[in-house]
Amino acid sequence: MSRTAATAPGVPAQTGDAGRWKALVFIALAQLMVVLDATIVNIALPSAQHDLGISDGDRQWVVTAYALAFGGLLLFGGRVADLWGRKRAFVVGLTGFAAASALGGAATTGATMFGARALQGVFGALLAPAALSLLAVMFTDARERAKAFGIYGAIAGGGGAVGLILGGFLTEYLDWRWTFFVNIPFAVVAAAGAYFVVREPEGGRNRSPLDVPGVVLSTLGLVALVYGFTRAEAEGWSDALTVSMFVASAVLLAAFVLVESRVRAPLLPLRVITERNRGGVYLSLGLAVIAMFGLFLFLTYYLQVVEGYSPVRTGFAFLPMVAGMITGSTQIGARLMTRVAPRLLMGPGFLVAAVGMLLLTRLEIGSSYAAVLLPAMLLLGLGMGTAFMPAMSLATQGVQPRDAGVASAMVNTSQQVGGAIGTALLNTIAASATTSYIKDHIATAGGRPQQQLVQLQGMVHGYTSAIWFAVGILVVAAAIALTLVNAGRPGSTTVTGPASGEEGVEGVVAVPVIAH
């Protein structure tokens, strides 16, 4: 049974638990920690590789071990959150993430580092969907929900760039180990705050038996998919193992869908992804993340290798994008989400980001930061912040409380898979264009300085070639959002949590929402 409470004129909306805004602080802190970790370790990787004696061939596992565990276990983590309760899953996830970070910071061998990163991925896969689903079940009034997801979306979008700044500072002025140790105070504060402040609504758990075949098939299928793209980046798309991973992933995920359509208590109820709006959100968000992940990679290399920026200066160079994301999410998305349909924020938001990306196709050696990079980053941040905010909200809105964890996990899964695809696909395009450019121009180059110049020009040519593809991907994401997402603007309806013993709430506020 589901209940809705219409808010009559002059009657205050239901407000739920009084401590929910305090809870938001700790949930946002945990999300910041997870997002920071995705970029902060990349900055520290060269120093860690040197200290631990990790070979060039093995260094990718510092990133890959985390990506495989996190991406492969997200659906399982979301289901565990529905089964255990989101608060318990959230606190356990934070505690485990802190312990894994301590292990990584204290690592003395490459194997220990790889294991620590895999453990971070395991507990991150439990933590991330629990955090988002807590927001989904705690903030039920349309206007409050808009504000809460605006804050969460800004952190999810801008945290990666903040990680570049923090990672640069810690690596340059302290030691690479602090890029791991810094997670511990974040986790301790967030876990303690959540334990005492978070009050999860009663009756929203899914106590059905765990779908073991679904867990095995989805985990293996997602691990094969993420590893396939990760390997493609290093070994090429025609590599035998790369192709085998893609084939295995397709077979495993097809079997997963078949199993989910037949079991009584599926790991991923197909109703979660076949609903038109949520499906549109997952797809458009995944495409947008493909474009954004490649951009972070290219701009980091452009600023440090081509322009000679230090790690700290590179981090600060990304600040306009962070400011744009925060503004787009909290000032544009949150203010307009209750006034216009989500697609009218998502579609134009992705298009504004595409315009920012288009400006970056003008990059050359010595391009002016103020004339090219600054306006591009501001537009990218504003567009993505505006689009991400309603998307995050829409992906979890209207689902039954018992499905909130797995719906949240699908948001993270679309971003994680999108990130793996973006890094591999755009990096391959850039590398191919760079090789072709150098081959065509190096023969006519003079002495060594001229050859070095041609190589740098080739790198920039490769980046801009890949960025053109990113522009097209963002335009496709906008088209999907405008055509598939057809939910109206949220009305004055309040979603009420289920009473103890009730099945849950379905489709109350007129919109569905998104996030990592």
Side-chain angles (χ1 to χ4, degrees):
M1 174 184 176
S2 50
R3 300 184 300 168
T4 61
T7 306
V11 178
Q14 294 185 18
T15 55
D17 179 66
R20 65 198 176 285
W21 289 107
K22 293 179 183 177
L24 175 62
V25 172
F26 300 110
I27 293 171
L29 186 64
Q31 174 66 12
L32 178 61
M33 179 190 71
V34 172
V35 176
L36 282 176
D37 192 73
T39 51
I40 200 172
V41 173
N42 290 344
I43 294 283
L45 183 53
S47 299
Q49 179 185 355
H50 179 267
D51 283 0
L52 300 179
I54 301 172
S55 69
D56 287 346
D58 288 340
R59 68 182 176 187
Q60 62 154 326
W61 286 102
V62 175
V63 176
T64 304
Y66 178 87
L68 292 180
F70 187 79
L73 292 171
L74 272 167
L75 285 176
F76 180 51
R79 177 66 178 86
V80 169
D82 287 336
L83 183 65
W84 283 2
R86 289 103 199 172
K87 176 178 175 177
R88 181 185 297 176
F90 184 71
V91 172
V92 170
L94 280 167
T95 304
F97 200 93
S101 298
L103 180 63
T108 55
T109 66
T112 305
M113 169 68 76
F114 304 151
R117 289 290 285 161
L119 280 175
Q120 281 186 317
V122 169
F123 287 104
L126 181 62
L127 169 61
L132 184 56
S133 57
L134 275 173
L135 289 188
V137 299
M138 291 176 69
F139 290 90
T140 54
D141 174 73
R143 292 187 183 278
E144 288 196 349
R145 186 180 177 88
K147 292 177 183 177
F149 275 96
I151 295 168
Y152 187 87
I155 290 170
V162 175
L164 293 172
I165 300 173
L166 187 58
F169 265 111
L170 294 173
T171 303
E172 204 165 312
Y173 298 118
L174 290 174
D175 185 81
W176 66 265
R177 296 182 184 278
W178 283 97
T179 60
F180 284 89
F181 291 146
V182 73
N183 290 329
I184 298 173
F186 275 101
V188 169
V189 171
Y195 182 81
F196 291 108
V197 173
V198 170
R199 297 288 182 271
E200 185 179 353
E202 295 287 338
R205 294 190 191 180
N206 183 347
R207 300 182 185 276
S208 303
L210 191 61
D211 171 21
V212 176
V215 170
V216 173
L217 289 170
S218 67
T219 300
L220 292 178
L222 289 171
V223 164
L225 182 63
V226 173
Y227 183 62
F229 280 107
T230 303
R231 185 174 175 85
E233 181 187 359
E235 304 296 334
W237 296 91
S238 59
D239 174 72
L241 185 55
T242 300
V243 174
S244 298
M245 286 295 103
F246 288 136
V247 172
S249 174
V251 171
L252 288 165
L253 293 177
F256 171 68
V257 172
L258 182 64
V259 167
E260 298 308 276
S261 67
R262 298 188 175 186
V263 298
R264 288 187 58 190
L267 172 69
L268 174 63
L270 296 183
R271 61 180 176 268
V272 171
I273 56 174
T274 54
E275 198 277 325
R276 174 174 178 160
N277 291 284
R278 278 192 291 278
V281 162
Y282 296 145
L283 188 55
S284 61
L285 181 65
L287 286 170
V289 170
I290 289 176
M292 287 299 290
F293 261 66
L295 178 72
F296 272 122
L297 181 70
F298 298 146
L299 283 186
T300 301
Y301 274 93
Y302 172 79
L303 292 171
Q304 291 193 43
V305 177
V306 179
E307 298 299 309
Y309 282 30
S310 69
V312 173
R313 190 181 176 194
T314 300
F316 276 106
F318 279 97
L319 277 182
M321 187 185 296
V322 178
M325 283 183 172
I326 292 172
T327 302
S329 186
T330 63
Q331 300 304 310
I332 300 175
R335 290 176 184 271
L336 295 181
M337 197 182 100
T338 56
R339 301 178 184 179
V340 301
R343 68 180 181 277
L344 299 181
L345 289 174
M346 292 173 62
F350 289 138
L351 289 176
V352 168
V355 172
M357 196 77 78
L358 189 63
L359 291 178
L360 291 174
T361 61
R362 298 167 51 205
L363 279 180
E364 298 174 349
I365 295 177
S367 288
S368 166
Y369 180 86
V372 179
L373 288 162
L374 179 60
M377 286 192 179
L378 284 172
L379 287 172
L380 276 163
L382 280 171
M384 296 301 274
T386 300
F388 270 40
M389 194 260 134
M392 285 182 176
S393 175
L394 196 58
T396 53
Q397 192 165 298
V399 298
Q400 299 178 22
R402 61 180 179 169
D403 294 336
V406 76
S408 302
M410 274 303 300
V411 177
N412 288 277
T413 300
S414 67
Q415 293 187 61
Q416 185 67 21
V417 172
I421 294 172
T423 303
L425 177 63
L426 296 182
N427 203 39
T428 303
I429 293 168
S432 176
T434 295
T435 301
S436 178
Y437 183 93
I438 292 175
K439 183 180 178 181
D440 292 342
H441 293 79
I442 199 73
T444 59
R448 185 172 179 81
Q450 189 66 23
Q451 291 178 348
Q452 290 176 335
L453 178 62
V454 168
Q455 288 176 335
L456 289 177
Q457 288 172 336
M459 287 178 66
V460 177
H461 174 73
Y463 299 157
T464 55
S465 299
I467 288 171
W468 274 110
F469 278 86
V471 171
I473 290 169
L474 283 173
V475 171
V476 172
I480 289 172
L482 288 169
T483 54
L484 280 185
V485 178
N486 65 353
R489 69 177 181 85
S492 57
T493 310
T494 302
V495 187
T496 62
S500 180
E502 289 186 332
E503 274 294 309
V505 180
E506 193 165 5
V508 255
V509 180
V511 252
V513 179
I514 250 188
H516 172 327

